[in-house]
């Protein structure tokens, strides 16, 4: 469901998308990015990082491209 994909978990308020990127699980992140209701600019609670920040940090170029295509800032 759209609500479930955006729910936060773990101690730092990370979404499923952010957690997949943070753990460098590229195939999982790419699968989540296929969801039509994914919000790509949600920030994790500890430092305010977005999925774009994390994917750029880890050099996950394909994910960065997909995030930008979906309008990530």
């Amino acid at each position: 469901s759209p609500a479930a994909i955006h729910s936060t978990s773990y101690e730092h308020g990370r979404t499923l998308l952010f957690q997949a990127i943070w753990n460098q699980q590229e195939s999982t992140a790419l699968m989540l990015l296929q969801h039509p209701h994914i919000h790509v600019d949600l920030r994790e609670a500890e430092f305010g990082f977005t999925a774009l920040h994390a994917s750029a940090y880890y050099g996950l170029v394909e994910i960065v491209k997909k995030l930008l295509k979906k309008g990530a800032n």
Side-chain angles (χ1 to χ4, degrees), residues 1-9 14-17 32 35 37-38 42:
S1 77
I5 201 164
H6 302 300
S7 66
T8 57
S9 60
R14 296 175 177 159
T15 63
L16 294 173
L17 176 61
L32 290 167
H35 193 284
H37 301 291
I38 192 85
L42 295 176

Side-chain angles (χ1 to χ4, degrees), residues 18-27 29 54 57-60 63:
F18 187 92
Q19 194 63 38
I21 294 167
W22 193 256
N23 290 323
Q24 299 177 56
Q25 297 172 339
E26 193 166 2
S27 61
Y57 176 80
Y58 286 114
L60 303 173
I63 295 173

